[in-house]
Amino acid sequence: MPNLPEDIVDRIKNLERQVRQLTAYVNTRAAAPARAPAEAAGESEARPETPGAES
């Protein structure tokens, strides 16, 4: 990459840094708690349907 213009090299380094940050975020964030299938099924029944909404 020595022949690339300096601004392009800076942009590549910035993108690499952002990828590392996002990878660290995804790998360290807490997972959503698991729900029982009955809870998930009951949730959709508890919500009233919007008039005119297709199901």
Side-chain angles (χ1 to χ4, degrees):
M1 289 197 308
N3 296 332
L4 291 175
E6 189 64 30
D7 62 322
I8 300 296
V9 174
D10 290 341
R11 289 172 61 188
I12 291 171
K13 289 179 181 178
N14 186 34
L15 289 171
E16 289 174 337
R17 183 177 46 80
Q18 289 177 353
V19 168
R20 284 193 300 273
Q21 288 174 338
L22 289 171
T23 302
Y25 172 75
V26 167
N27 290 331
T28 58
R29 71 177 192 168
R35 295 188 298 171
E39 290 177 19
E43 184 177 297
S44 63
E45 294 172 4
R47 289 189 204 147
E49 289 191 25
T50 307
E54 296 180 27
S55 50

